[in-house]
Amino acid sequence: MAERTLVTSALPYANGAVHLGHAVEYIQTDIYVRFLRSCGQDVVYFCADDTHGTPIEINAAKQGIPPEQFVARFHDEHQRDFRDFDIRFDYFHSTNSPENRHYAELIYGRLKDAGDIDRRDIEQTYCEKDKRFLPDRFIRGTCPNCRSTDQYGDACEKCGKTYNPTDLIDPRCALCGTPPVRRNSVHLFFKLSRHADFLQEVLKRPGFIHPGLATQLQGFFEKGLADWDISRDGPYFGFAIPGETDKFFYVWLDAPIGYIATTEKWAKESGRVPDALAYWGKDAPTRIVHFIGKDIVYFHALFWPAVLKVAGFHIPNEIKVHGHLTVNGEKMSKSRGTMVAARDYLDLLDPSYLRYFYAANLGAGVEDLDLNLKDFRLRVNGELVNNVGNLANRALSLLAGPLEKKLAPGRAEGAGRKLVEDALARVPEVREAFEKLEYRHAIKVITEIASTANAFLQTAAPWALVKKDAEAARADLSDAADVAYLVGALLAPVTPRVSEKLFTQLGAEPLTFQALATAKYPLLDRTRPLGTPEPLLPRLEEERVNAIIKVPAGTPAAEPAKAGGKDKKTEKKPVEAKSPEGQPTTQASPGAGAAEGAPAADIEYADFAKVVLKAGRIVAAEKVKNADKLLKLDVDLGEGTPRTIVSGIAEAYPAPEALAGRRVVVVANLKPRKLKGIESRGMLLTAGSGGKDLSLLEPGDVPPGADVK
């Protein structure tokens, strides 16, 4: 029987909105699932709301509604947000379901029958006013390490020190503020310590988890695996433990069981398999892959496999772990407005932009990903809009206009055929990158393919041939359209709605990785007419991007930086043209030898008229060795061969490959000069105060070589 693949994302907690930090995982997983489907694999993707626990029970009570009603609201909201981010689950369920209760009780019974459940009397924090045992997060006090006030009962947010609630100085109930007392209660423990050898063997399995994380997890074995408390005292929103009084399954027991329960619900409704055991049975011919964040590795890599093993279920084959999201280089914060809700983003921007940016920055490791809004805007505009979108627009506009939507037959030889065949030769590289979750490498190759096709069009200049030799122009544009078709296929897992739009404009069926395994030139059916071209995506505008950050009303403004008695936040900076060395050339500014605020010297119009400004397009960009501020750029000025220009913009554009396809304004008649041994033939115009605060000036939607007036 062919192997089935079951993929999951971690379950979002039904206590708040999905935000852009959550979206990293779901977008990463959705790209992987779409890729597997494109390869023709049998894959299902499941998720569910994590609905149980004290926080939900308490918050529902505060709103005067039952917990079931409270979580139902977020269930609908979460599904809407995921759907609008183009995340497609085969089923999205809830842990507060009959299926989850059934499997939680079944698994608990098997753990108990195996002798892996132990009863222990433990001391806990108890609030006599609220008449409840308090989880660590519902106890506040002064950190015993750094003396910071108002810290949680398990860890200090200021110094990062972990401790027991009993270590807190002046502890109090987070609900009512009264000092808690200590009381004993019987709890149920899963004997995790009995399964150390099995878990060590699991961690050594190839591909199970990132090797660095497997090494980190050794710390739990070195100090001895602790048995796991799987029960909680009431009041508690969750499933009552069979045979016990006022005891409930701890949320971390039944939450991962939600993966199985969701499979069961899908099986019942779809009829594709009899039940969840078709995937989760001990010997089922399946591959189970979990995508999670690095903060819940312990539960998924140690606790969960041990529970499944004892209960006789299928052990996960792979656990894919990602890092956290930062925004503008800092931890997400509600007070700064950087804890951006998914809906706040979606109300302003197309999801394709964020899906692309995440993919362009995600690898297989667990490093954090930074959503720097400037980098986000520039990279998406430079690569997705100006490069990929420009290729589609250049190829299709002429074909659909004066060439009457007709494609040329494939050619027996020539530069156009070689262009397509060279692009096809890189498909295995993209495929391997997606398989290994090296999305950023996949994006790099895809944008290189698009850049090469744009350069081909620039050299062939079919717009100049249309009237003189329409068939030659048609042939070149048809080959470029082939590459656009291929790029659409390669990007389909990342930006599905952009690819769907492109396929429609090409009048072609969706192209899959499975079909690409045997595809040959020409890719398009050249006998079919094209559709109607239109821009795939508009450019991201700075004001609109920045608007996703919504600082809550009443938040104190950040303390303005001071320099020379002036407020840098309000001080107006002169617009400067930058030379290749990054120094101002057209007007004086602080640091350029003139007094601050001194006016620039007047020049004659005849002097200014000597400057030739041309529109250009960056073909390629790379850092200059041993020069932190310099980039070497190949810039198309409509001259046949791109010019090499060295520019001092490296601090503003730390990812130079993102500049490919970017439109720029070039001083085209400067005398060549050597910088770091590289002959530079021109200068790019920028605006800003220097360093990281620079933005390339753009000439608008005009062809390379057009005059800028």
Side-chain angles (χ1 to χ4, degrees):
M1 179 184 285
E3 181 186 75
R4 301 186 184 105
T5 299
L6 184 149
V7 181
T8 72
S9 294
L11 312 187
Y13 201 43
N15 195 33
V18 173
H19 57 66
L20 297 193
H22 296 127
V24 172
E25 180 173 309
Y26 302 101
I27 289 173
Q28 181 188 39
T29 316
D30 185 76
I31 291 171
Y32 185 66
V33 172
R34 287 178 183 270
F35 164 72
L36 293 182
R37 287 211 177 100
S38 183
C39 292
Q41 295 193 30
D42 182 352
V43 56
V44 288
Y45 178 21
F46 297 136
C47 196
D49 268 337
D50 181 4
T51 58
H52 292 154
T54 302
I56 285 173
E57 181 252 322
I58 289 175
N59 286 333
K62 286 180 179 178
Q63 295 187 20
I65 60 176
E68 293 83 358
Q69 184 178 336
F70 180 83
V71 299
R73 180 190 117 201
F74 286 110
H75 188 66
D76 294 339
E77 181 182 302
H78 288 175
Q79 290 187 86
R80 179 196 64 178
D81 290 346
F82 288 136
R83 181 182 61 251
D84 290 352
F85 257 119
D86 293 335
I87 294 160
R88 296 293 182 263
F89 302 112
D90 287 274
Y91 207 93
F92 188 86
H93 202 24
S94 167
T95 59
N96 191 48
S97 66
E99 295 82 12
N100 208 40
R101 182 189 294 274
H102 166 75
Y103 278 103
E105 292 179 353
L106 174 67
I107 288 173
Y108 169 73
R110 291 182 179 181
L111 300 182
K112 190 175 180 181
D113 291 344
D116 271 288
I117 299 297
D118 192 22
R119 301 174 67 86
R120 300 178 190 175
D121 197 41
I122 66 169
E123 186 182 51
Q124 298 181 92
T125 304
Y126 185 84
C127 179
E128 294 180 311
K129 182 176 180 180
D130 292 307
K131 300 190 182 309
R132 67 186 306 141
F133 288 99
L134 298 173
D136 295 347
R137 288 264 149 170
F138 284 85
I139 308 166
R140 309 286 287 197
T142 300
C143 171
N145 181 56
C146 71
R147 298 300 193 271
S148 294
T149 59
D150 200 33
Q151 297 303 310
Y152 289 116
D154 57 352
C156 176
E157 291 189 315
K158 295 291 185 181
C159 68
K161 182 78 171 179
T162 59
Y163 40 71
N164 294 317
T166 50
D167 297 330
L168 275 179
I169 300 169
D170 298 326
R172 67 185 186 281
C173 171
L175 300 174
C176 66
T178 60
V181 298
R182 307 293 293 176
R183 282 193 182 180
N184 283 9
S185 177
V186 173
H187 274 227
L188 305 174
F189 285 76
F190 171 60
K191 296 179 182 178
L192 185 65
S193 57
R194 295 175 61 176
H195 306 287
D197 291 343
F198 162 74
L199 292 172
Q200 286 280 29
E201 181 269 324
V202 169
L203 290 175
K204 292 175 183 175
R205 292 179 184 176
F208 176 72
I209 199 167
H210 190 280
L213 290 172
T215 300
Q216 289 181 26
L217 288 168
Q218 292 304 312
F220 290 103
F221 296 94
E222 291 168 3
K223 63 183 180 182
L225 278 182
D227 293 338
W228 191 250
D229 187 345
I230 63 165
S231 65
R232 290 295 184 268
D233 296 286
Y236 192 84
F237 181 51
F239 297 138
I241 300 178
E244 302 293 333
T245 301
D246 202 30
K247 302 291 180 186
F248 297 81
F249 289 127
Y250 176 42
V251 63
W252 265 109
L253 178 82
D254 72 63
I257 293 172
Y259 299 138
I260 303 174
T262 304
T263 312
E264 180 77 12
K265 181 70 170 177
W266 167 81
K268 288 178 182 176
E269 295 200 0
S270 70
R272 284 181 53 182
V273 295
D275 54 29
L277 297 182
Y279 285 88
W280 291 93
K282 182 179 179 180
D283 298 318
T286 55
R287 172 174 166 253
I288 295 175
V289 184
H290 292 315
F291 280 74
I292 61 169
K294 63 183 180 182
D295 54 331
I296 55 174
V297 170
Y298 173 89
F299 302 102
H300 283 79
L302 298 180
F303 177 66
W304 179 229
V307 167
L308 291 171
K309 178 244 186 184
V310 175
F313 284 81
H314 194 296
I315 308 300
N317 299 81
E318 300 169 37
I319 298 177
K320 308 296 188 183
V321 185
H322 61 83
H324 295 151
L325 182 74
T326 57
V327 178
N328 291 333
E330 297 182 350
K331 183 179 178 180
M332 290 190 298
S333 163
K334 288 184 179 179
S335 64
R336 293 192 179 100
T338 54
M339 187 78 73
V340 181
R343 185 50 47 187
D344 287 342
Y345 173 95
L346 291 164
D347 285 344
L348 290 167
L349 301 172
D350 189 295
S352 303
Y353 298 125
L354 194 69
R355 289 178 65 101
Y356 181 88
F357 183 78
Y358 280 177
N361 287 278
L362 278 169
V366 296
E367 64 269 21
D368 292 345
L369 185 157
D370 184 43
L371 178 60
N372 179 284
L373 295 189
K374 179 181 177 182
D375 290 347
F376 168 56
R377 176 173 54 84
L378 295 180
R379 184 154 198 180
V380 167
N381 284 343
E383 294 180 3
L384 186 59
V385 180
N386 289 352
N387 189 7
V388 174
N390 188 46
L391 171 62
N393 185 62
R394 293 171 97 183
L396 301 184
S397 294
L398 283 173
L399 282 168
L403 297 176
E404 302 174 321
K405 296 187 176 182
K406 296 177 182 178
L407 295 167
R411 296 191 271 197
E413 59 183 14
R417 178 173 182 141
K418 184 176 186 303
L419 171 76
V420 178
E421 290 178 340
D422 286 350
L424 279 170
R426 303 202 71 181
V427 171
E429 190 178 354
V430 177
R431 180 174 182 139
E432 183 181 18
F434 276 126
E435 286 174 345
K436 293 181 176 180
L437 300 188
E438 287 291 349
Y439 297 168
R440 58 191 169 205
H441 184 70
I443 294 296
K444 177 177 180 291
V445 176
I446 294 167
T447 54
E448 287 173 355
I449 291 171
S451 293
T452 301
N454 274 312
F456 164 79
L457 283 177
Q458 190 62 37
T459 301
W463 45 86
L465 283 175
V466 168
K467 293 184 178 180
K468 294 185 292 184
D469 189 345
E471 292 311 309
R474 190 191 311 277
D476 289 338
L477 290 164
S478 298
D479 290 337
D482 249 20
V483 178
Y485 188 32
L486 172 61
V487 168
L490 299 180
L491 278 177
V494 179
T495 53
R497 65 175 65 185
V498 172
S499 294
E500 289 167 10
K501 187 182 293 186
L502 178 56
F503 295 152
T504 299
Q505 293 180 26
L506 287 164
E509 295 296 320
L511 182 61
T512 65
F513 276 89
Q514 185 176 25
L516 284 172
T518 56
K520 295 180 180 178
Y521 172 85
L523 290 174
L524 287 163
D525 180 351
R526 301 291 180 92
T527 65
R528 293 181 60 173
L530 291 174
T532 302
E534 61 181 34
L536 296 177
L537 278 173
R539 288 177 54 77
L540 280 172
E541 299 300 330
E542 183 175 8
E543 183 178 358
R544 198 166 182 84
V545 170
N546 292 342
I548 69 172
I549 304 295
K550 294 180 172 65
V551 179
T555 301
E559 183 70 22
K562 301 288 183 179
K566 292 191 177 181
D567 182 348
K568 281 192 174 180
K569 293 191 71 175
T570 59
E571 180 182 356
K572 293 184 178 179
K573 295 287 185 180
V575 174
E576 303 168 347
K578 294 287 179 177
S579 71
E581 302 85 29
Q583 296 302 315
T585 60
T586 59
Q587 70 179 55
S589 71
E596 184 174 352
D602 291 337
I603 62 172
E604 296 292 338
Y605 176 78
D607 294 326
F608 173 74
K610 295 176 183 177
V611 179
V612 176
L613 299 179
K614 294 283 188 181
R617 186 182 64 83
I618 298 174
V619 177
E622 62 185 62
K623 292 182 179 179
V624 174
K625 189 176 181 180
N626 299 323
D628 294 340
K629 296 182 179 181
L630 300 182
L631 294 184
K632 175 190 172 188
L633 307 108
D634 293 331
V635 182
D636 176 10
L637 289 178
E639 299 169 327
T641 302
R643 289 197 193 189
T644 296
I645 296 176
V646 179
S647 181
I649 59 173
E651 292 177 278
Y653 299 93
E657 63 276 5
L659 290 171
R662 183 73 181 269
R663 297 173 191 267
V664 291
V665 177
V666 178
V667 179
N669 62 334
L670 284 179
K671 289 182 179 179
R673 62 179 301 188
K674 283 196 173 182
L675 295 162
K676 294 292 182 179
I678 304 169
E679 185 176 73
S680 180
R681 298 178 55 237
M683 182 177 75
L684 306 186
L685 296 190
T686 67
S689 57
K692 295 181 179 180
D693 186 26
L694 279 179
S695 294
L696 287 165
L697 297 183
E698 298 191 11
D701 192 11
V702 294
D707 290 333
V708 176
K709 300 293 187 180

